[in-house]
């Protein structure tokens, strides 16, 4: 279904570009193609990592560390793993689905993604340098509970369905 929505969006944008004249549609497609090739190495590497994690990490170990039974400890562990993972968040989706298929609980999966967004260690040094200690510390402390909370909410929501 989503491919049809994306196709419709692309078609609409091409029609808008065509209506404005010139070579806008070509410039837009060239920019998209350039972006695609810029993202490709990251997507290939993270997909390889995801596949290797799925076949190398024993399901019992993953379930014990990040499964639903791991509870809050598993959610926080997954959040910390998300925080240290390099790359843009969308590039980690293959790894996340691989972890989920291999036995990670929904709380840990949501914790991983939320940890990537809120606890990303790669943003801390520039934040301290640009925003200063007070603002950066306030941001980190104020979001500290969101990763575990998001994971616990996800666990609860999934149990309702």
């Amino acid at each position: 279904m989503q491919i049809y929505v994306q196709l419709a969006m692309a078609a609409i944008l091409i029609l808008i570009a065509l209506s404005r004249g010139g070579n806008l549609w070509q410039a837009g497609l060239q920019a998209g193609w350039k972006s695609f090739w810029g993202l490709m190495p990251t997507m290939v590497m993270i997909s390889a990592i995801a596949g290797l994690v799925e076949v190398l990490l024993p399901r019992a170990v993953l379930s014990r560390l990040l499964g639903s039974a791991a509870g809050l400890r598993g959610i926080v562990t997954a959040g910390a793993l998300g925080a240290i993972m390099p790359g843009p968040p969308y590039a980690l989706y293959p790894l996340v689905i691989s972890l989920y298929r291999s036995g990670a609980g929904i709380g840990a999966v949501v914790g991983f993604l939320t940890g990537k967004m809120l606890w990303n260690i790669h943003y801390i040094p520039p934040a301290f340098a640009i925003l200063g200690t007070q603002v950066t510390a306030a941001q980190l402390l104020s979001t500290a509970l969101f990763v575990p909370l998001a994971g616990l909410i996800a666990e609860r929501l999934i149990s309702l369905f």
Side-chain angles (χ1 to χ4, degrees):
M1 178 65 165
Q2 79 182 26
I3 191 74
Y4 298 117
V5 172
Q6 293 167 345
L7 185 59
M9 288 174 61
I12 290 167
L13 291 172
I14 288 173
L15 289 173
I16 292 170
L18 283 168
S19 74
R20 292 191 179 169
N23 292 333
L24 282 177
W25 71 276
Q26 288 175 322
L29 292 179
Q30 286 173 344
W33 192 246
K34 185 178 177 182
S35 178
F36 170 77
W37 284 109
L39 295 172
M40 184 56 67
T42 299
M43 295 306 289
V44 168
M45 288 299 108
I46 202 66
S47 294
I49 291 167
L52 290 166
V53 164
E54 198 166 327
V55 298
L56 293 175
L57 194 61
R59 186 175 178 88
V61 171
L62 191 81
S63 290
R64 184 172 42 84
L65 294 174
L66 302 178
S68 295
L72 186 60
R73 179 182 46 82
I75 293 168
V76 172
T77 300
L81 289 173
I84 64 170
M85 287 299 295
Y90 61 83
L92 298 180
Y93 291 156
L95 177 59
V96 169
I97 197 63
S98 180
L99 290 172
Y100 188 63
R101 280 192 226 137
S102 298
I106 191 71
V109 166
V110 169
F112 183 94
L113 291 170
T114 309
K116 176 64 179 170
M117 305 294 187
L118 296 180
W119 294 352
N120 192 333
I121 65 165
H122 306 96
Y123 296 145
I124 294 174
F128 274 118
I130 296 167
L131 302 174
T133 305
Q134 189 175 17
V135 173
T136 303
Q139 186 270 324
L140 292 172
L141 292 172
S142 66
T143 61
L145 295 177
F146 286 114
V147 172
L149 186 60
L152 291 171
I153 290 170
E155 287 281 344
R156 180 68 180 135
L157 285 174
I158 214 71
S159 72
L160 296 175
F161 297 108

